[in-house]
């Protein structure tokens, strides 16, 4: 479904990603694990076309994403949940969902979102900037569903949230996965990632160092100590 | 002082606030969404006035020019955004300022080539000539009409940005351009639409303001300065702020002329300075998060 092949991405002159390759089958849930600054966010941004890779290729269902603007990449079926949530602050919860809506028959609607994320319904006319961190995160996860994605990119959805809220987000992500959406999850929270993903990639200093079944990674104390321990 | 004079000056203030709002709204809208300070707004306003002069010359119909001029200006806006501005978004903001400033010079020369250096005049539609009796004194109908136009434009813009789906997309793109793009909103096209809308507002002002002034090559300069004062006081990018600040400045100007005719200009810029010191983001500006 998604094939990221040896991409090199730069911010100005800094060479951030130095040959990252990832692949994902339809229906799969994978995670990208690594510390702060390891290149997780940049990998997702490269897929979305925000910082297109200078070398290497990104293919989604056969389409080459290299020269595409982000809005076209989104319209192919990739949904994006940014780090720091980035809710549109002056729009209401309902408007945050509606502005990105792309109608598909039997697809997500505002009503369906409120059904799946019942906590959002009573907040629907509240402005984005007046939501709590947890509420913003739930909205940030729900928002791209309105574009009816086949693949969802989640950038550190557990960051800065209380354990109880992290649990709630975890359940929501799981329920989204059961609808058949594939997921790439970038995380440094091991527990969270391992409860959700089937396969994992360990990224550090812009390179993939290990990949494998989530159960195997979980057992490998050496890898965890080297690339993930705080 | 007679109450009639007071009321008439108040109405004068309303009419000039309309003028300030019409030119400031385009600047504010374009800045709010594209992040570009469009110095050429005054030049676009000038094109609008010349065009309406030409259309009235050909057809003799003022209303017809209201219809055509904004459409032509929108077209000019599309060309400017699509083929010039678009290449400057990724580079330093200074280049955008230079570009819009350069546009003024180019536009003025093109207008000079087309219409020559002489000034022209237009007359409002017949139905809008004459006076109404207000408190026992005649007051020009056109001034009242002009205020109505400014207010109607404000209400339409407010409705567009707050109540329509496309307008809300504009708001989303203006608060987070990159993410709006990544969530499937065609931001490049939205930029074109907004620049075209901003340009057509300048054109609209060119039509409605024409009967007040001599249409000449320098006409844009005076208004662009005042427009920046309006936009800064209201809060850059805030349409409601621009409208209210235009109302305030219109009154400051009207009563400044009435009581302190030699210093009238000081009020507007003095007020702007006070606002900038006391509240740099403008009266209605959003705090940047």
């Amino acid at each position: 479904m998604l094939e990221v092949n040896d991409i090199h991405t730069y911010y100005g002159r800094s060479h951030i990603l130095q040959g990252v390759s990832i692949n994902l089958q339809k229906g799969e849930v994978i995670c990208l694990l690594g510390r702060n600054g390891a290149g997780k966010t940049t990998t997702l941004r490269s897929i979305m076309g925000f910082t297109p890779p200078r070398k290497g290729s990104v293919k989604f269902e056969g389409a080459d994403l290299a020269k595409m603007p982000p809005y076209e990449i989104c319209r192919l079926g990739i949904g994006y949940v940014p780090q720091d949530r980035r809710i549109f602050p002056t729009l209401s919860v309902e408007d945050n969902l509606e502005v990105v809506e792309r109608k598909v028959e039997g697809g997500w609607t505002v009503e369906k979102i409120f059904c799946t994320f019942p906590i959002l319904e009573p907040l629907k006319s509240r402005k984005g900037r007046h939501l709590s961190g947890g509420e913003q995160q739930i909205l940030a996860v729900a928002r791209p569903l309105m574009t009816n994605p086949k693949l969802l990119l989640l950038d550190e959805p557990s960051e800065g949230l209380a354990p109880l809220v992290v649990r709630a987000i975890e359940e929501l992500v799981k329920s989204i996965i059961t609808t058949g959406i594939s997921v790439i999850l970038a995380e440094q929270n091991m527990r969270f990632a391992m409860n959700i993903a089937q396969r994992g990639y360990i990224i550090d200093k812009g390179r993939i160092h290990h990949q494998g079944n989530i159960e195997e990674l979980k057992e490998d104390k050496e890898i965890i100590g080297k690339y993930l321990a705080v | 002082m007679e109450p009639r004079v007071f009321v008439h000056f108040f109405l004068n203030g309303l009419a000039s606030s309309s003028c300030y709002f019409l030119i400031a709204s385009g600047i504010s809208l374009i800045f709010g969404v594209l992040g570009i300070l469009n110095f050429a707004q005054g030049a676009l306003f000038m094109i609008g006035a010349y065009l309406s002069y030409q259309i009235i010359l050909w057809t003799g119909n003022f209303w017809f020019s209201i219809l055509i001029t904004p459409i032509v200006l929108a077209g000019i806006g599309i060309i400017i955004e699509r083929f010039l501005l678009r290449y400057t978004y990724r580079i330093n903001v200074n280049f955008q300022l230079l570009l819009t400033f350069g546009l003024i010079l180019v536009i003025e020369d093109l207008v000079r080539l087309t219409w020559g250096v002489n000034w022209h005049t237009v007359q409002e539609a017949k139905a809008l000539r004459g006076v109404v009796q207000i408190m026992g004194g005649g007051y020009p109908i056109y001034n009242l009409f002009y205020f109505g136009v400014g207010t109607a434009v404000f209400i339409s813009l407010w409705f567009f940005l707050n109540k329509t789906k496309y307008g809300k997309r504009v708001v989303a793109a203006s608060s987070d351009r990159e993410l709006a793009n990544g969530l499937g909103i065609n931001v490049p096209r939205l930029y074109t639409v907004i620049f075209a809308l901003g340009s057509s507002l300048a054109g609209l002002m060119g039509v409605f303001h024409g009967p007040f002034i001599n249409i000449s090559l320098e006409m844009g300069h005076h208004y662009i300065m005042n427009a920046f004062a309006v936009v800064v006081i209201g809060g850059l990018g805030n349409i409601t702020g621009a409208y209210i600040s235009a109302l305030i400045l219109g009154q400051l100007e009207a009563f400044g002329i009435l009581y302190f005719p030699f210093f009238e200009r000081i009020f507007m810029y003095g007020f702007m300075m006070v606002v900038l010191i006391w509240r740099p983001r403008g009266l209605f500006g959003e705090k940047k998060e």
Side-chain angles (χ1 to χ4, degrees):
Chain A
M1 184 184 213
L2 181 80
E3 212 175 299
V4 176
N5 193 10
D6 191 34
I7 56 168
H8 292 254
T9 303
Y10 295 72
Y11 284 136
R13 288 209 186 126
S14 355
H15 193 174
I16 306 291
L17 297 188
Q18 310 178 357
V20 168
S21 301
I22 288 175
N23 65 73
L24 170 110
Q25 307 299 319
K26 198 167 166 47
E28 223 183 353
V29 178
I30 64 171
C31 64
L32 203 54
L33 289 162
R35 292 198 193 96
N36 263 337
K40 304 185 297 289
T41 296
T42 309
T43 304
L44 299 189
R45 289 176 56 85
S46 299
I47 296 170
M48 272 323 292
F50 293 143
T51 47
R54 279 197 210 162
K55 257 170 67 187
S57 70
V58 183
K59 287 209 167 83
F60 179 68
E61 294 188 319
D64 187 2
L65 307 187
K67 291 258 155 55
M68 275 190 202
Y71 70 89
E72 279 180 15
I73 293 175
C74 168
R75 289 174 185 186
L76 287 178
I78 304 185
Y80 179 64
V81 179
Q83 202 177 11
D84 304 332
R85 316 187 259 270
R86 286 160 73 177
I87 298 305
F88 301 122
T90 54
L91 294 182
S92 70
V93 168
E94 198 171 9
D95 289 343
N96 262 277
L97 296 168
E98 258 177 12
V99 289
V100 302
E101 180 171 20
R102 281 183 63 73
K103 290 200 174 88
V104 172
E105 204 164 322
W108 290 87
T109 59
V110 174
E111 291 75 38
K112 204 171 155 194
I113 294 278
F114 287 156
C115 245
T116 316
F117 304 80
I119 185 179
L120 293 178
E121 174 143 41
L123 304 168
K124 68 180 175 191
S125 47
R126 190 169 298 182
K127 290 249 188 323
R129 69 150 78 89
H130 296 136
L131 299 174
S132 73
E135 290 160 355
Q136 284 191 350
Q137 187 62 64
I138 290 166
L139 180 57
V141 172
R143 184 171 52 182
L145 296 179
M146 294 294 288
T147 69
N148 289 296
K150 300 169 201 160
L151 165 65
L152 196 60
L153 310 180
L154 284 161
D155 198 352
E156 297 212 33
S158 74
E159 193 194 20
L161 297 177
L164 212 63
V165 184
V166 174
R167 286 286 306 163
I169 302 272
E170 189 183 314
E171 291 311 314
L172 285 176
V173 174
K174 279 180 177 163
S175 70
I176 291 169
I177 292 165
T178 57
T179 67
I181 295 176
S182 314
V183 171
I184 300 180
L185 171 69
E187 260 301 340
Q188 31 184 337
N189 181 336
M190 276 286 279
R191 279 244 322 258
F192 183 78
M194 293 190 169
N195 284 342
I196 291 172
Q198 300 145 2
R199 211 149 55 78
Y201 290 83
I202 308 277
I203 187 169
D204 192 48
K205 296 189 178 126
R207 290 200 175 94
I208 301 287
H209 287 260
H210 290 277
Q211 58 165 305
N213 198 295
I214 210 77
E215 299 304 323
E216 288 164 29
L217 286 177
K218 212 190 272 188
E219 299 309 317
D220 199 329
K221 293 284 181 281
E222 193 190 334
I223 288 180
I224 291 175
K226 194 166 167 198
Y227 295 112
L228 294 169
V230 194
Chain B
M1 180 161 307
E2 279 182 75
R4 180 177 64 84
V5 175
F6 192 84
V7 170
H8 281 207
F9 271 82
F10 173 73
L11 293 174
N12 287 348
L14 290 184
S16 45
S17 70
S18 223
C19 148
Y20 295 144
F21 176 71
L22 282 176
I23 190 155
S25 60
I27 292 174
S28 199
L29 189 68
I30 290 170
F31 182 84
V33 180
L34 282 73
I36 288 173
L37 218 41
N38 183 23
F39 282 116
Q41 195 75 8
L44 293 170
F45 155 56
M46 176 181 65
I47 299 180
Y50 273 95
L51 263 179
S52 101
Y53 156 76
Q54 192 65 55
I55 292 167
I56 293 170
L57 198 68
W58 281 337
T59 66
N61 192 332
F62 181 77
W63 304 104
F64 196 59
S65 78
I66 296 176
L67 206 66
I68 300 296
T69 310
I71 296 174
V72 176
L73 261 291
I76 294 171
I78 289 172
I79 293 167
I80 292 174
E81 198 281 335
R82 192 69 191 71
F83 297 104
L84 297 171
L85 275 178
R86 180 156 295 187
Y87 299 98
T88 68
Y89 297 144
R90 283 169 188 280
I91 52 179
N92 193 303
V93 68
N94 295 333
F95 291 97
Q96 297 166 1
L97 296 179
L98 275 174
L99 178 65
T100 61
F101 190 77
L103 275 173
I104 299 176
L105 307 176
V106 173
I107 289 171
E108 280 183 8
D109 269 9
L110 288 176
V111 169
R112 197 193 321 267
L113 271 173
T114 317
W115 283 285
V117 292
N118 292 331
W119 50 265
H120 304 279
T121 55
V122 295
Q123 213 177 4
E124 63 271 34
K126 272 208 184 76
L128 301 171
R129 290 176 205 161
V131 294
V132 278
Q133 292 300 315
I134 293 177
M135 302 182 74
Y139 192 78
I141 294 174
Y142 193 78
N143 281 16
L144 300 174
F145 170 75
Y146 194 42
F147 174 63
V149 167
T151 305
V153 168
F154 164 63
I155 292 171
S156 316
L157 279 176
W158 186 90
F159 189 84
F160 168 62
L161 291 171
N162 290 281
K163 297 294 170 201
T164 66
K165 194 153 171 176
Y166 199 78
K168 287 171 185 174
R169 287 191 177 141
V170 171
V171 174
S174 71
S175 60
D176 196 331
R177 175 191 182 181
E178 181 189 79
L179 188 62
N181 204 342
L183 289 170
I185 297 173
N186 187 340
V187 176
R189 194 177 59 197
L190 186 145
Y191 274 29
T192 311
V193 169
I194 290 303
F195 198 84
L197 179 59
S199 307
S200 72
L201 285 170
L204 207 58
M205 181 190 175
V207 176
F208 288 114
H209 202 62
F212 285 114
I213 51 169
N214 295 326
I215 295 171
S216 70
L217 290 164
E218 293 82 34
M219 59 183 277
H221 302 176
H222 166 68
Y223 295 96
I224 194 84
M225 284 312 293
N226 292 344
F228 280 125
V230 172
V231 169
V232 165
I233 292 170
L236 274 165
N238 187 319
I239 293 294
T240 308
Y243 184 70
I244 293 173
S245 127
L247 285 178
I248 296 172
L249 292 186
Q251 294 308 327
L252 274 179
E253 186 192 58
F255 287 96
I257 290 173
L258 182 60
Y259 292 108
F260 309 96
F262 291 109
F263 304 104
E264 151 255 325
R265 279 297 181 75
I266 292 176
F267 290 103
M268 181 177 294
Y269 293 103
F271 184 59
M272 180 177 88
M273 280 187 251
V274 171
V275 168
L276 279 179
I277 291 166
W278 166 63
R279 204 178 149 90
R281 62 178 189 269
L283 292 178
F284 300 89
E286 301 278 352
K287 223 177 203 160
K288 285 281 169 207
E289 269 131 273

